[in-house]
Amino acid sequence: MSPTMPDDPSAESSASRRSIPGFCGLCKSRCGSRMVVEDGRLVAQLPDPAHPTGRAQCVKGRAAPELVYDPQRVLRPLLRTRPKGDADPGWREISWDEALDRVAQALARVRDESGPEAVAFAIATPSGTPIADDIRWIERLANAFGSPNVANGTEICNWHKDFTHVHTFGRGIATPDFAHSRCIVLWGHNPRETWLNNALSIRDAKARGARVVVVDPRKAGFVAGADLWLRVRPGADGALALGVARVMLAQGWFDADFVRDFTNGPLLVRGDTGRFVRAGELAVPPAGAAADDFVALGADGTTIACAQAARPRGDAGPQPALAGACELAGADGQPVRCRTAFSLYEEACAPYTPERVAALCWIECGQVEQFARLLHEAGAAVAYYCWAGVCQHTNATQADRAIATLMALTGSFDAPGGNVAFTPLPANDVSGKELLAATQRARCIGLEQSRIGPARNALIGSDVLYDAILGRKPYPVRALLGFGRNFLLNHADAERGARALGALEFCAYADVTLTPTAALADIVLPICTPWEREGLRVGFEGSQAAEQWVQLRPAAIEPLGESRADAWVVFELAKRLGLGEHFWGGDLEAALAHVLAPVGVSLDQLRCTPGGLARPGVTRYRKYLEEGIRTPSGRVELYSEALLAHGVPPLPTFVEPVDSPFGERGSDFPLVMTTAKLRHFRHGQDRQAPSLHRRSPEPAVHLHPDAAHARGIAEGDRVRVRTANGRIRMRARFDAALDARVVWVEYGWWQPGARGGADGYDALSEEGANYSRLVSDRRVDPVSGSQPMRSGLCEIEALDGAS
């Protein structure tokens, strides 16, 4: 991690040097910090140990002054004066009034002619950019405007852990309770590079004796000190989860009481429809049953009525059987063959023997049982986290279901040491969901892909956005207002993306730098960095203490040039679009006060205490005992009737990624290709910071020495990486810890280390290094739309005169 520790003497204040408390806005960790200002310039960002997330600062946070004073920043509004596609866009600086007027007029024209749905919005990730300061206002603008088409990247970021998990637990993945965990599972998640505060908590937990399991194709992050590293083949995570569950079920290494009382495992499922049996469907319902009650089998073979809720703890009634099958008489006189959901789950896991899992996942056979044993020995104190390593595959929905149901077997749901929904502060939600009419929500272009994926929340993937622009399906999207989302670097198929963005009638982008995506806009709006603006945070993440913290980060310095905060841009546009009534008349202060009203603190109080305030809050474990579980059955769902209703398998299953090494393309492209975030950079950002650029000066593909030697490649050679979708150039770097059949290709490369530098890379050229060019968006996860960013197939070739 190489964090800066809080005893750095440069944090001390003097007459010309001030140390201002704040928090780093660059990523999800949001580490508490001290912003050091000297003679009006930001000179350092250091940890603030008084803050619940402030024990350390990563290399990116330490580079704050370099990001602020980056000569490549956009500091004034820009207007394109030449046609898109011209090598010279003819950028002309214009005033803010002219820029905002032009944007508002263009959006209003499209809205009036084709409806607000013809305008899409794009928002950068709050997990890896400072957009988190103001994302609530951008979401509110889209909702108030009436657009059901917001591209925020959820399909390749958080949808699976935060929303697919709902199909199992009735909530998202929540927060690992590291302080009480006995086993921590990091599945496709490397907090040392993406979430520093959690990495420190895991380090502490390990020092207290917690076991650590890492599932990752690379030897990265906590692998070096892990109790078990499973070097899974990219895209085979679902097979691993089903195989570990099979061992736990076969050995009895699961919490049978929890599974019986709090999952829908005991409920009977009809063999004809796949739906749960309801008491009203039977000729002889269980005694005392309501018509819509579920039905289970008792130990003596009789039927038991089960209400739409988990079995109360201490219930003295007959206990339902977990496994079983029977034939019941239907109300229509026809026999109904039934099996318990638990029996069906066992059957779904049964084919995934350790031997088969080893063959599919490219791991050692004994590791499957070793993983199961570690989960069993931890009891109900298993904490886990999954992220991009699980979600960026075409089988991401099923992989998430397999992992979630596996973790349900441990009984650690909302238990001490498990994944816990810590008590949040009661802030007002101002994202404006209520402002988007149901009729507009129903026009989301993604609903034709899936009605239970992101589109149900008016969110869209880049693939359907490009379809609507280029193919006018299901209707044309004519304009786009973007806030920082760099489609061409972070989403699949950069060339298709460029064609789509170039075909828009109007596009405006708000960003800090002129990214390849922003460069396709008609108007570019300059956004300031988080150290140049206030940022309100009601509750941080990672612990109960963090959740209780409320803070208004002050602006350490004045905004450079004419750059402004995203919130200022939103409020100014809202007024011009006739939406001021939804934005407190354009008064941001009043809006922030509304957010804070339930918290019981004022803006003035927070400005007087810039380091933040702790509000009362107590962790409540196993809240489902009082509040229930928010699933259709009122239980943790091993079997999902809701998924079945939408044509999705109700039980977790494993399907190969669309580009499988066992498929037809395996012979032409024999290497499995994945990618990962570099700790020095955030996605396609930060390569212009000298201290970060020095750590990774050029893009690389990492491969096993055996794979390289078989292709006549020496370490450091220039190579071509090619797939069925495209090709790019990289520098070969050896990694003997990889499986020889797997390579990982760095992503996010485009920006030169200095303005006009020769070390930049054309994001749309095969002579460049843009990983997005290698990946197609034509086949995606059928539910979420997740793109195969981390499980493709490629070949690597040495270039002539390689070195």
Side-chain angles (χ1 to χ4, degrees), residues 739-798:
D739 187 296
R741 296 163 287 185
V742 174
V743 300
W744 77 274
V745 186
E746 296 175 8
Y747 77 98
W749 286 93
W750 67 274
Q751 196 166 22
R755 177 180 291 208
D759 55 350
Y761 301 88
D762 186 342
L764 299 176
S765 169
E766 67 178 37
E767 304 300 311
N770 183 6
Y771 178 78
S772 170
R773 296 190 74 254
L774 302 178
V775 185
S776 171
D777 69 353
R778 295 296 71 202
R779 292 184 294 173
V780 298
D781 183 278
V783 175
S784 66
S786 180
Q787 300 168 351
M789 304 300 288
R790 300 208 181 202
S791 52
L793 296 176
C794 75
E795 181 57 289
I796 300 177
E797 303 159 341

Side-chain angles (χ1 to χ4, degrees), residues 24-27 58-68 70 72-73 127-130 193 486 489-490 511-513 515 529-531 677-697 747-754 759:
C24 181
L26 292 181
C27 78
C58 76
V59 293
K60 298 181 287 288
R62 295 205 306 268
E66 299 170 52
L67 302 179
V68 169
D70 169 23
Q72 299 181 55
R73 279 184 60 180
S127 298
T129 76
E193 297 183 8
N486 194 352
L489 271 294
N490 298 328
D511 214 328
V512 178
T513 58
T515 67
T529 68
W531 302 278
K677 188 183 294 183
L678 288 168
R679 73 169 58 183
H680 323 306
F681 310 126
R682 294 168 301 127
H683 304 298
Q685 308 163 89
D686 307 332
R687 285 161 178 80
Q688 78 280 20
S691 67
L692 303 179
H693 189 83
R694 284 194 297 270
R695 296 170 182 267
S696 295
Y747 77 98
W749 286 93
W750 67 274
Q751 196 166 22
D759 55 350

Side-chain angles (χ1 to χ4, degrees), residues 19 58 68 174 211 234 274 325 338 360 374 428 441 463 470 472 509 559 633 679 722 769:
S19 177
C58 76
V68 169
R211 304 289 188 88
C338 312
L360 286 171
L374 285 170
N428 279 323
R441 192 177 296 274
D463 59 324
L470 295 171
R472 305 169 72 85
Y509 244 76
S633 66
R679 73 169 58 183
R722 61 179 178 86

